[in-house]
Amino acid sequence: MILLAHHDVKAACGWLREAEENNWLVSQLRKQIRLDQADKSTNLTIKSVNNASLYQHINSLYSFVKSCDVDEDMPILDKLEEDARSLIKVIGEKRSARTRELAVEG
C-alpha cells in the first residue's frame, strides 16, 4: 500500500480507510488508486513534464488499463478510448499546423 501511495503514509492510510468503508477487494483498491493517479496526471503542464515523468504517467495509465475488467470497467475503458482518440487528433492538428508554418517560412 505504501508503494502504491508513493511512500505517502497518510495517503496510504486514507486509501485503506476508504477501502474498508467501501468493502473493496485488493484489486479494486489498486484500481481506484491508479485511476486517481491517472486523474492527477491530467493536471500537468508542459513545463512540469520531462520525458521521464511523461513516460511514467503513460506507464501508469497503461498498467491501469491492463488491470481493468472488460465487463466491469467498460465505462472507464470507453472514456479512455474517447480521450485517446481526442489526443491523437490534437497531436495531428499540432503537426499539421507546424508543417504549414514551415511551408510559409520556407
Side-chain angles (χ1 to χ4, degrees), residues 56-70:
Q56 180 181 5
H57 291 291
I58 290 170
N59 279 335
S60 293
L61 188 55
Y62 181 80
S63 295
F64 170 75
V65 170
K66 283 188 72 169
S67 72
C68 286
D69 177 87
V70 175

Side-chain angles (χ1 to χ4, degrees), residues 56-102:
Q56 180 181 5
H57 291 291
I58 290 170
N59 279 335
S60 293
L61 188 55
Y62 181 80
S63 295
F64 170 75
V65 170
K66 283 188 72 169
S67 72
C68 286
D69 177 87
V70 175
D71 296 320
E72 181 181 320
D73 299 317
M74 189 56 70
I76 294 169
L77 294 172
D78 288 345
K79 177 66 174 139
L80 287 171
E81 184 176 14
E82 177 186 328
D83 291 347
R85 289 179 196 278
S86 295
L87 180 60
I88 290 168
K89 181 180 175 187
V90 169
I91 291 169
E93 290 168 356
K94 289 267 187 197
R95 286 185 175 158
S96 293
R98 182 65 179 140
T99 302
R100 285 191 300 275
E101 287 174 14
L102 291 175

Side-chain angles (χ1 to χ4, degrees), residues 21-38:
E21 290 168 6
N22 292 294
N23 228 9
W24 289 339
L25 300 172
V26 173
S27 61
Q28 291 169 305
L29 173 60
R30 285 185 182 140
K31 195 177 299 180
Q32 289 298 322
I33 292 170
R34 287 187 182 124
L35 184 58
D36 183 64
Q37 290 169 346

